[in-house]
Amino acid sequence: MARKIGSRYTANQILGRGSAGTVWLGEGPEGPVAIKLLREDLASDQELVGRFVQERTALLGLEHPNVVSVRDLVVDGNDLALVMDLVRGTDLRTRLDRDRRLAPEAAVAIVADIADGLAAAHAAGVVHRDVKPENVLLDMQGPLGPGGSHPALLTDFGVAKLIDSPRRTRATKIIGTPDYLAPEIVEGLPPRAAVDIYALATVLYELLAGFTPFGGGHPGAVLRRHVTETVAPLPGIPDELWQLIVQCLAKAPASRLRASELGARLRELLPMLAGMPPLDVDEPDSEPTEEESPVAQEAAPAGERVRRRGAVPLVPGAKPADSNRDTHTSMRVPAPDELAGGARGTARVPRAAGAPRPGSARHRAATRRRRVALGAAAVALVAAAGVGTWLATSGDDADATPQDTNNSAPAAP
Ligand SMILES: Nc1ncnc2c1ncn2[C@@H]1O[C@H](COP(=O)(O)OP(=O)(O)OP(=O)(O)O)[C@@H](O)[C@H]1O
């Protein structure tokens, strides 16, 4: 059912829903557009409306082939809407859900596009703060690039900042999506450009592996891993690509690459990755780790303690129906002792395809077999050592008997 948005736009058909509102296929004076209509309770928040208008220039000024441009901001009665360029295609989450993992060449081409878009934004002083596959759109009408990938565009620029108003979230609260949150945000520092690089490196890892490096289990556990754990290597990944990921997942923001450099370095790797199939990685043990820290308990209501892509909505009060993905969190910054106390090595460790899953019956059987084999090897070693010692001793002193060697190894025949 069509509806008017301000005096210039008509929203015709729902394209998708997020936690902050609904995206419509619409029509404007210059042709088709995408209209993000913010939820009514957000639209009626006077402070947010003020910020909306305040951020107008920054939001409207961003023009780059890898950024979904915001064309207009509409404040009209109960409607608060961002009018954006329409991207005819799909979002990267949908592609990942379909393919599970991408070939390295396609993954790197997509991430290089987004790095270029981020470079333009960072140069204009804008930090995205919510880089994740849901916010990457693939333009199916654009030309095919390396690995058969379509041009990738980053959307939702400035939306996290808009919604993250001082009243909604004080300095002690975290806004974002747990799997992609840089450690400095978890530690309560203000988000700078390097948080986008960390999130983008997480996306690249996810495209290659099929899962994020620190995700899984409760949001509180995920946040803690960002701060305390190091990323586990992906079997079969070319070393140059791995080094880039490691550098951009560095805990210290200053150690990460800048967006423009990341884009350039990724493009340099493309010829080497041509034709390489997706990595042969099995999803690690996906059993959620119930981490009952105070942070974790505060983050999710009872009954929702453990969710695979653990999250609570970006905006307080968002109903589950608002989003079928539930990928945001809003929780307090954990205290240093909570972070330190939780370093128990719960990050997902990728397995080479076919290797048994930790904790599985096959893994337990393999462990048992290994133990038996190790036990047997140990007995054989002790025996061999005894024989060896006896032989050595007897060689030195032809008259000595095995008993003279002062060890408990069985006597030589
Ligand atoms: N400019 C656009 N052109 C075409 N489709 C779009 C555009 N922007 C968003 N969409 C579609 O609308 C869906 C919802 O987008 P939205 O930004 O509201 O939510 P999200 O990013 O998936 O989730 P959240 O806002 O909770 O992080 C997207 O998945 C995408 O498919």
Side-chain angles (χ1 to χ4, degrees), residues 242-291:
W242 181 241
Q243 291 312 323
L244 278 186
I245 293 178
V246 169
Q247 191 173 356
C248 293
L249 287 177
K251 305 293 180 206
S255 302
R256 294 174 211 145
L257 294 174
R258 286 172 184 278
S260 54
E261 197 181 351
L262 176 60
R265 299 269 293 273
L266 286 172
R267 286 189 200 289
E268 280 169 22
L269 295 182
L270 283 172
M272 180 189 87
L273 301 173
M276 189 176 170
L279 297 182
D280 211 2
V281 183
D282 269 355
E283 181 137 350
D285 189 12
S286 61
E287 282 300 302
T289 47
E290 179 95 51
E291 302 268 351

Side-chain angles (χ1 to χ4, degrees), residues 373-394:
L374 268 167
V379 169
L381 233 128
V382 170
V387 172
T389 311
W390 176 73
L391 284 175
T393 318
S394 58

Side-chain angles (χ1 to χ4, degrees), residues 81-94:
L82 286 121
V83 180
M84 302 175 278
D85 281 344
L86 176 68
V87 179
R88 294 185 194 275
T90 183
D91 64 87
L92 188 54
R93 170 63 61 205
T94 306

Side-chain angles (χ1 to χ4, degrees), residues 260-348:
S260 54
E261 197 181 351
L262 176 60
R265 299 269 293 273
L266 286 172
R267 286 189 200 289
E268 280 169 22
L269 295 182
L270 283 172
M272 180 189 87
L273 301 173
M276 189 176 170
L279 297 182
D280 211 2
V281 183
D282 269 355
E283 181 137 350
D285 189 12
S286 61
E287 282 300 302
T289 47
E290 179 95 51
E291 302 268 351
E292 292 296 337
S293 74
V295 182
Q297 289 189 25
E298 183 180 305
E304 287 184 37
R305 289 277 157 82
V306 179
R307 284 144 80 154
R308 207 186 156 280
R309 293 183 53 77
V312 288
L314 169 66
V315 275
K319 298 175 197 70
D322 281 344
S323 169
N324 54 4
R325 289 212 183 99
D326 245 4
T327 49
H328 285 103
T329 193
S330 167
M331 59 175 71
R332 70 180 169 80
V333 174
D337 58 322
E338 287 167 340
L339 289 173
R344 278 185 298 193
T346 56
R348 298 192 254 194

